[in-house]
Amino acid sequence: MILLTTAEKYQENFTYVIESENIVDYKLETHEGFFCYDRGSAFLLKGIGMITNAHMFLELKELPIEQIILTKEYPFTVHRSRYSNEKSAAKLVAIDFSIDIAILQVEGMDISINGFDYCENVKNGDSITVLGYPDFRENQELRCGYGEIMNERTHILLDTK
């Protein structure tokens, strides 16, 4: 029997897989279409939403995102791999390809009480844990990497569409 630490359980509860099992239909004034999205890791950030990489939705990059009407309000599927059989629906609420960040809202999830705490007091030398499901396969364990902050990269957020 393996006993998990509180930190490990916390990590498993707030790190997700975004499943690429659906094709998402959309409408624009000029035409209708669809796009596919990649499978990837995401984490729940308290007060913000589910954070993932914008490159998962690369097919949207050349479209006028603010004008897209999705035919299904919550078209994306998220789950916690082997840690829960429950699948949830999510929708894209913000995306910025310049910094490779996308934010999803998970249907019925209260982000005011769930997720990792947001912290702006990060400095060189701070310890970090990197979590995810690289090359995800069904029932895969959450992978953890450890390191430290080596440098700060700053961006001016120009556009979150």
Side-chain angles (χ1 to χ4, degrees):
M1 174 185 228
I2 297 175
L3 296 175
L4 295 177
T5 66
T6 302
E8 289 169 327
K9 191 65 179 161
Y10 194 70
Q11 292 166 352
E12 291 170 2
N13 284 336
F14 299 130
T15 308
Y16 288 77
V17 175
I18 300 175
E19 196 62 68
S20 61
E21 59 189 27
N22 299 321
I23 292 175
V24 180
D25 296 315
Y26 68 84
K27 294 180 183 178
L28 287 169
E29 284 184 15
T30 56
H31 69 281
E32 294 181 7
F34 66 91
F35 67 93
C36 299
Y37 58 97
D38 288 334
R39 175 185 284 165
S41 302
F43 63 93
L44 197 59
L45 193 58
K46 192 181 296 181
I48 306 288
M50 187 166 290
I51 311 300
T52 193
N53 296 108
H55 68 256
M56 288 187 47
F57 308 97
L58 199 55
E59 289 188 39
L60 294 177
K61 190 170 185 175
E62 303 303 320
L63 295 173
I65 294 174
E66 65 281 347
Q67 296 174 17
I68 292 175
I69 299 169
L70 299 178
T71 57
K72 185 176 177 186
E73 186 177 7
Y74 290 87
F76 309 111
T77 302
V78 300
H79 61 85
R80 292 184 14 242
S81 184
R82 66 185 303 156
Y83 308 107
S84 173
N85 292 328
E86 181 181 332
K87 291 188 176 190
S88 299
K91 68 179 178 180
L92 187 63
V93 293
I95 193 164
D96 189 323
F97 288 101
S98 70
I99 57 173
D100 198 22
I101 296 290
I103 302 173
L104 304 174
Q105 177 185 341
V106 180
E107 188 173 32
M109 188 171 290
D110 185 354
I111 60 171
S112 69
I113 60 172
N114 291 304
F116 294 108
D117 291 320
Y118 183 78
C119 177
E120 291 186 24
N121 296 329
V122 178
K123 61 188 179 313
N124 289 350
D126 283 355
S127 295
I128 60 168
T129 302
V130 181
L131 304 168
Y133 297 97
D135 300 319
F136 177 76
R137 301 293 179 262
E138 193 165 333
N139 290 317
Q140 179 179 323
E141 290 183 350
L142 177 63
R143 295 198 187 153
C144 301
Y146 304 95
E148 69 178 55
I149 301 294
M150 307 257 324
N151 206 342
E152 179 181 354
R153 181 173 70 176
T154 58
H155 292 280
I156 298 172
L157 192 58
L158 299 175
D159 191 338
T160 59
K161 61 180 180 171

